[in-house]
Amino acid sequence: MGYAEDKKYENVDFVIEDIRAFSEYENCVFINCNFYETDISHVKFMEFEFRDCNLSMAKTNDTAFRDTHFKNCKMLGLRFDSCNQFGLAFTFENCNLSHSSFFQNKIRKTKFYNCHLEGVDFSQSDLSTASFEECNLNMAIFDNTIIEKADFRTAWGFQIDPENNYIKKARFSTSGLPGLLTKYNIEVD
């Protein structure tokens, strides 16, 4: 399998076209491409950008995302926990990642901006210094998660048990306090 570098792919339906024509993509851009339920396993994306793409339910066994930026993408049910963990690094802007899984991922410093993260599994993940700016975290799962120095000040809908997660120096707004007190059945006005 080959290698693609510095290429732009627009309006390609990878349900029909074979994404694995190349095993590595570096410094490329995918714009308005469809990957719905596509098998992108074992493909490496390095210094890469996905814009306005649908990656929902794509198969990601040993997929490498290194310095990858996702913008305006639909990524429902994506299994980041099955990705290649070496160098795993990405940012998300205006994306819908609902019902995706980051189980046991080490994704420190990850930036989530204006994202829908409903029902996302962050269990046992390391989200140190991650940022959740203007994000909907309704029903997201935080269980034995490291969120040290993470920023939740403008996020909403989250429920995080401070006794079951490592939250040292994490940042929250006063409007987010109920999400930290849910298990105590306390009402905050």
Side-chain angles (χ1 to χ4, degrees):
M1 292 201 280
Y3 173 84
E5 185 176 17
D6 300 321
K7 292 189 177 182
K8 184 182 196 181
Y9 299 86
E10 284 190 77
N11 303 312
V12 179
D13 188 349
F14 287 102
V15 173
I16 299 166
E17 301 292 325
D18 187 10
I19 183 67
R20 294 190 285 179
F22 298 109
S23 61
E24 294 184 24
Y25 292 85
E26 185 171 355
N27 201 31
C28 295
V29 179
F30 284 148
I31 301 170
N32 198 36
C33 294
N34 183 25
F35 297 89
Y36 179 74
E37 292 187 340
T38 299
D39 190 352
I40 59 173
S41 298
H42 309 289
V43 178
K44 293 179 183 162
F45 300 100
M46 298 169 289
E47 298 177 16
F48 204 88
E49 184 173 1
F50 289 90
R51 279 188 269 165
D52 303 302
C53 294
N54 181 2
L55 292 107
S56 296
M57 304 300 291
K59 293 166 189 64
T60 56
N61 295 321
D62 201 37
T63 303
F65 292 112
R66 298 187 181 120
D67 295 320
T68 304
H69 182 78
F70 297 95
K71 185 174 182 179
N72 303 320
C73 291
K74 185 176 179 182
M75 309 168 77
L76 306 176
L78 214 55
R79 299 291 310 260
F80 292 98
D81 55 344
S82 65
C83 290
N84 183 319
Q85 299 301 303
F86 180 75
L88 188 65
F90 29 57
T91 59
F92 301 95
E93 182 180 351
N94 301 317
C95 292
N96 187 344
L97 292 124
S98 295
H99 307 291
S100 293
S101 177
F102 292 92
F103 178 74
Q104 294 185 332
N105 285 143
K106 290 183 181 176
I107 50 172
R108 298 174 177 179
K109 300 180 182 178
T110 299
K111 305 278 187 240
F112 297 92
Y113 175 73
N114 197 33
C115 291
H116 292 280
L117 299 164
E118 297 178 61
V120 171
D121 186 358
F122 291 110
S123 298
Q124 300 179 31
S125 296
D126 185 349
L127 296 166
S128 301
T129 66
S131 174
F132 295 90
E133 190 174 335
E134 300 294 332
C135 290
N136 179 352
L137 288 158
N138 189 38
M139 296 175 42
I141 301 166
F142 293 91
D143 181 25
N144 199 23
T145 305
I146 300 169
I147 54 174
E148 179 181 17
K149 298 181 183 176
D151 190 345
F152 292 89
R153 289 178 295 172
T154 59
W156 69 91
F158 57 84
Q159 293 183 8
I160 299 172
D161 182 351
E163 295 176 17
N164 194 31
N165 295 283
Y166 187 73
I167 66 169
K168 185 177 181 179
K169 296 193 177 185
R171 301 184 76 181
F172 299 92
S173 66
T174 53
S175 63
L177 289 179
L180 297 172
L181 302 171
T182 302
K183 85 177 231 175
Y184 302 110
N185 201 20
I186 296 172
E187 290 187 32
V188 179
D189 294 323

